[in-house]
Amino acid sequence: MSGSDVLIVGAGPTGLVLALWLTKLGVKIRIIDKTAEPGTTSRALAVQARTLELYRQLDLADAVVQRGHKVPAVNLWVKGERAAHLPFETVGQDLTPYPFLHIYPQDEHERLLIDRLKVLGVSVERQMELVSFTQENDRIIACLRGLSGQEDRCEAKYIAGCDGARSTVRETLGTGYPGGTYRHLFYVADVDAAGPAVDGELHVDLDEADFVAVFPLAGKGRARLIGTLRDERADRADTLKFEDVRDRAIKQLRVQVETVNWFSTYHVHHRVTDHFRKGRAFLLGDAAHIHSPAGGQGMNTGIGDAINLAWKLAAAIAGRAPDSLLDTYEAERIGFARRLVATTDRIFTLATAEGPIAAVLRTRIVPVVFPKVLAFEAAREYLFRTVSQITLNYRGGPLSAGSAGRVRGGDRLPWVRNDGADNFAPLSAIAWQVHVYGSASSELKAWCAARQMPLHVFDWKSAHERAGLVRDAIYLLRPDTYVALAEPSGAPAALDSYFAARGIKLAAS
């Protein structure tokens, strides 16, 4: 019977990221997938700024940026003409190292993750399916079936269900998947094309209740068309062809399609399971939550699940943290998933609402009002923060404590750039660390040295104050780079209290 620390079921982006982070942290993993090969087509496109920030921990961010496409603006179209042009590549220039929407198709993304995993000595076991599993006090016992049909028993300390919307792990746990299914049929087409809407920017047509958009891909003339159907064509998804939908894009967005490289249809659900953890089993990504593609949040949220869970599993397996640390995965991620599903559902419902009032709202009011609202810096920043996920926080959670300035425990650390350097550079380490902006006391330096806790002290600048940081305060950063504790006094006693209250052991404590 083979054994590992964590059995990961599913090798999409969520499972691969979990495997990468755990392997980097010294956890023995096994990752399986029932498909014969990685995906050659994909629906997910957007890699948000927060994901790129976290990817710095495995030196992935630069590779994703270099291989993908930065989107400089979004355009709204009405009656075959651009009604609004909204540049946003500079909106977040003072908020993140990645102030743009980045397009990097999921299939290419997966191949990059697989290659990086191989460098670490781990390969995905293909055509290997989870049949069932049971939980005991100190392990799970899984039954796997390979291509030959022969079954294999596998032991692991934990199991991670990254196996999608039809998750076997979730069905075994019985945590439910409440929600619904949109009646629209979605279609996607990767094309080589020309025309004013194939210019490297994002274009959205507002004319009808059936949504259609043109997303740029890397390379001249490459684009992805995404749209919805609700008429009789939606009832024949299995036989629908690109010719059945192309007129809309050609007419409304003036897209001149030269070659169709891929075409597919699918239905979209909006669901969240009732629990993300049950005993030694965890649910991540689409196995835990699924929603409308509005805002390009799905894949990024699954990746966020993986990074949130990875360091906690590593600490528990190494005996540096109690089992209760693993409960914080659900506590921190399920609320965000529920809010995200509700938000994307409202946006999608508004964008596809039928009737004369909805049509007037889309074609006459939105193109006029939206640009005017976004003329205000605060509105642009709010939109960017939300879509990019840099506003996501764990305030009020069991691992979050204190406040110093505008920064509270659970927040993403504000990014501050100064003289060509930035305070995110130390966050490439997947480890607890302390930041001080100003000067650190001798007591704090001694405390960190005794516990092998990295201490990063930044000369105080006005930019730190503008970002909401407090001079000489302690900011304790978790291994996933979120602020765990914000302590304005700068006294290390607060650090002792924080770790003692949560039963977390440090290297030399």
Side-chain angles (χ1 to χ4, degrees), residues 82-133:
R82 296 190 207 212
H85 176 76
L86 308 169
F88 53 70
E89 65 176 335
T90 60
V91 172
Q93 63 182 349
D94 294 325
L95 303 175
T96 174
Y98 308 100
F100 45 80
L101 172 64
H102 195 65
I103 299 296
Y104 188 50
Q106 181 180 328
D107 52 337
E108 299 175 37
H109 197 153
E110 286 184 18
R111 288 196 293 273
L112 173 63
L113 297 173
I114 289 168
D115 289 344
R116 292 300 178 92
L117 200 55
K118 286 181 179 178
V119 170
L120 297 177
V122 177
S123 296
V124 177
E125 296 180 51
R126 294 282 171 189
Q127 295 179 296
M128 184 67 72
E129 182 177 5
L130 174 69
V131 178
S132 62
F133 72 91

Side-chain angles (χ1 to χ4, degrees), residues 189-194 198 217 219-224 255-261:
D190 279 1
V191 300
D192 295 322
V198 188
L217 300 176
K220 182 176 175 58
R222 294 186 63 225
R224 174 168 296 177
V255 177
Q256 301 159 26
V257 177
E258 297 165 357
T259 306
V260 180
N261 300 310

Side-chain angles (χ1 to χ4, degrees), residues 182 270-272 289-302 305 333-348 386-387 389 392:
Y182 293 109
H270 47 101
R271 303 176 185 275
V272 183
H289 47 79
I290 195 167
H291 48 82
S292 156
Q297 301 295 299
M299 180 177 67
N300 295 272
T301 303
D305 292 342
R333 298 301 295 180
I334 198 168
F336 173 65
R338 286 171 174 162
R339 290 191 301 274
L340 180 62
V341 168
T343 301
T344 56
D345 180 57
R346 286 195 295 269
I347 294 171
F348 181 73
T386 302
V387 174
Q389 296 196 354
L392 190 159

